Amino acid sequence: MESEFSCTLCGRCCNGFGRYIRIDQQTGTTYRCTLTLTRETFRAIPDPGRSDLLKDRSYFRDHPHACPFLRKEAEERIICTIHGSRPRFCREYVCCTGRIGRDDIVCGEMKGRRDIKTDDPDLTRRWSELVSLYGGSDDTVWKQKVQEALQKDGYTVVYYG
């Protein structure tokens, strides 16, 4: 089953992206930047009402590798101040390729192509078995085999895109 990924706006992915986004020049409220991974350049413009947030750099005391445009807006809300002009890398990034559940409870999140984040020891064991059996397969076969196997084990599998 495929579904649309829904970002929870937790900001965790962006807390490491500062290693890759370099501000080359600032002119007023416009920033000329480089994504060092791809050498792509982009122009970052703060979203309406976000410019003042960029003045506060306190977020970086606890998150030194965060994207230079990430800020804490409210008690627990982390936001991208340039969401409207963010680079292609950020627009295309998906932190979670799918979720695995049981009885309407999320048991695991699929990361990248063959990784999983879970606290479920049975799912951890089964995932390792599936990687050993099908990990070298192309993505279409991998997804099909994982879904079939985990459904037989009583899990639901939802892929994003």
Side-chain angles (χ1 to χ4, degrees):
M1 171 197 271
E2 294 213 5
S3 180
E4 180 83 18
F5 172 74
S6 178
C7 179
T8 62
L9 302 175
C10 70
R12 285 188 295 241
C13 55
C14 303
N15 278 325
F17 286 171
R19 295 178 181 112
Y20 314 115
I21 295 178
R22 182 181 70 223
I23 297 174
D24 299 317
Q25 182 181 27
Q26 179 183 355
T27 306
T29 59
T30 301
Y31 300 82
R32 188 171 49 92
C33 306
T34 301
L35 179 61
T36 60
L37 288 171
T38 62
R39 296 192 177 142
E40 170 188 357
T41 59
F42 66 98
R43 190 173 62 153
I45 302 167
D47 293 340
R50 305 281 195 224
S51 293
D52 286 346
L53 290 173
L54 289 169
K55 295 174 187 173
D56 181 3
R57 299 201 38 89
S58 63
Y59 187 77
F60 300 99
R61 282 193 297 269
D62 293 329
H63 305 91
H65 300 295
C67 171
F69 299 105
L70 191 66
R71 293 295 189 276
K72 195 169 197 174
E73 183 181 51
E75 186 72 24
E76 292 298 319
R77 186 172 169 186
I78 309 301
I79 61 145
C80 172
T81 59
I82 62 160
H83 193 265
S85 63
R86 69 196 185 281
R88 182 175 47 89
F89 173 80
C90 297
R91 288 190 308 269
E92 294 175 356
Y93 179 79
V94 176
C95 65
C96 182
T97 56
R99 289 202 168 91
I100 300 167
R102 180 181 271 161
D103 301 324
D104 295 325
I105 296 171
V106 175
C107 301
E109 293 182 333
M110 292 177 270
K111 304 290 188 177
R113 293 184 67 227
R114 306 289 188 264
D115 294 322
I116 191 168
K117 178 183 173 192
T118 181
D119 293 327
D120 180 334
D122 293 329
L123 182 55
T124 299
R125 178 191 50 75
R126 186 65 169 131
W127 187 265
S128 294
E129 291 171 359
L130 293 170
V131 169
S132 294
L133 290 169
Y134 309 113
S137 304
D138 70 43
D139 287 346
T140 303
V141 171
W142 163 256
K143 286 180 176 183
Q144 178 186 356
K145 296 293 187 181
V146 166
Q147 188 161 22
E148 289 170 0
L150 291 178
Q151 284 177 339
K152 286 180 185 174
D153 294 341
Y155 292 99
T156 58
V157 178
V158 177
Y159 290 106
Y160 301 125

